[in-house]
Amino acid sequence: MEQEKNISQFQPLSAEQSSLPSGGAGGGLNILITGCNGQLGNEMQRLQAEHPEHNWINTDVEELDITDQLAIEQMVAEKKIDGIVNCAAYTAVDKAESNKELCTTLNTVAPSYLAAAVEKRGGWIIQISTDYVFNGTKHTPYVETDTPAPDSVYGSTKLAGELGVSKFCSKAMIIRTAWLYSFYGNNFVKTMIRLGKEKEQLGVIFDQIGTPTYARDLARVIMTVIEKGIKPGVYHFSNEGVISWYDFTKAIHRIAGINTCKVLPLHTSEYPTPANRPAYSVLDKTKIKETYGIEIPYWEESLKECISKL
């Protein structure tokens, strides 16, 4: 498989090369956040005040180039990193089809660098992955043991990233999520609100089914995982419920008080894109709920919370 080839090209630096010091953090943990300026990264930063016992090292490309193996090794060593939450990724799904090299570097190779570096300290990594590792041909919610079958460059590189972190870190936890949105950054919710105010009519796909994920809810779960302890493996997380993009848009407009835009349902075939989307990508969250004793909000409740902040 191509993703396995990409991983095999990566070789972690030796302990001598990384100049890894001995010893760890006293008291709380030294936790590295990558991609801190993205939707999830920003939500993680907002919650850090509730966990002052830990030392949070928030980075984006300006502070740490995760494609630079030596830079990662040096930061992990100097900051004595105990754990990494990798929120960084190439997420431009359509552009990925024609920009495969960069997408592979960010989504496959870079996570392996992070995993290998923190493994030398006996630490852990939480890798954020995606529903795009599935092709969407199933008609019941995907569980973690379902065989991945990505149908896009983005999905293939993210699956390879999962394999990489699992290979190079013995305490790797992978959380697949879907339809992420937030108060921060560009996302579907903010786009639909903007278009709803600008246009009298809007067509939205109705035959792609999934579940939205409020990034704040995902960040809260990650904090719970850190507090209760990393249990390696693959997990699924999104909000509860099932909906189409069309119905999601109708709910966004209703909650945002937009009633001047008519929303029309479109078939996927009427709106062709460079990358294939899963027709059905509902994720089963039973494993993470039972493992960490959490309750997950219904998607509409979280959507209301987010829109109230916009």
Side-chain angles (χ1 to χ4, degrees), residues 40-282:
L40 181 58
N42 267 298
E43 298 289 5
M44 289 292 297
Q45 290 189 77
R46 285 183 61 86
L47 295 177
Q48 288 168 13
E50 300 174 13
H51 302 273
E53 70 276 16
H54 299 309
N55 179 32
W56 302 95
I57 298 95
N58 297 300
T59 66
D60 214 288
V61 64
E62 294 82 5
E63 296 81 23
L64 177 64
D65 179 1
I66 63 170
T67 69
D68 185 335
Q69 183 182 2
L70 183 58
I72 290 171
E73 293 276 358
Q74 289 176 339
M75 175 167 282
V76 169
E78 291 170 5
K79 301 292 186 181
K80 298 182 179 179
I81 299 300
D82 300 297
I84 298 174
V85 182
N86 183 27
C87 303
Y90 186 106
T91 58
V93 176
D94 288 323
K95 291 182 180 179
E97 294 296 311
S98 57
N99 204 355
K100 187 174 182 179
E101 183 176 355
L102 178 58
C103 190
T104 299
T105 300
L106 286 169
N107 291 349
T108 301
V109 179
S112 294
Y113 290 163
L114 293 165
V118 80
E119 172 72 8
K120 291 194 180 76
R121 291 195 50 80
W124 48 262
I125 183 170
I126 297 175
Q127 169 72 6
I128 307 303
S129 193
T130 174
D131 58 324
Y132 277 68
V133 301
F134 300 113
N135 60 18
T137 58
K138 195 180 177 187
H139 301 290
T140 55
Y142 281 96
V143 296
E144 290 82 356
T145 53
D146 283 330
T147 302
D151 194 24
S152 64
V153 168
Y154 171 67
S156 296
T157 59
K158 290 296 286 184
L159 176 59
E162 293 184 10
L163 298 173
V165 297
S166 298
K167 177 178 180 180
F168 291 109
C169 183
S170 58
K171 297 177 183 176
M173 181 173 179
I174 294 147
I175 302 179
R176 294 174 180 151
T177 191
W179 296 24
L180 196 69
Y181 69 93
S182 168
F183 172 85
Y184 303 97
N186 298 316
N187 55 66
F188 186 82
V189 171
K190 294 169 83 170
T191 298
M192 291 303 104
I193 290 176
R194 175 177 58 81
L195 293 177
K197 293 177 178 178
E198 295 175 353
K199 296 181 176 294
E200 295 181 356
Q201 186 169 296
L202 185 63
V204 183
I205 303 298
F206 80 93
D207 56 358
Q208 292 176 18
I209 309 300
T211 309
T213 306
Y214 183 28
R216 177 70 62 86
D217 291 335
L218 177 54
R220 289 178 179 131
V221 167
I222 291 172
M223 289 298 188
T224 298
V225 167
I226 292 171
E227 293 310 303
K228 292 190 174 183
I230 303 297
K231 296 181 180 178
V234 178
Y235 296 80
H236 289 171
F237 181 86
S238 68
N239 284 113
E240 297 283 21
V242 179
I243 198 168
S244 72
W245 288 112
Y246 166 78
D247 293 304
F248 191 33
T249 302
K250 295 282 284 185
I252 292 167
H253 285 188
R254 172 171 48 80
I255 293 167
I258 298 171
N259 51 28
T260 56
C261 179
K262 184 177 182 180
V263 182
L264 302 174
L266 292 180
H267 291 91
T268 297
S269 59
E270 297 177 83
Y271 191 77
T273 56
N276 293 326
R277 266 74 172 170
Y280 183 91
S281 62
V282 179

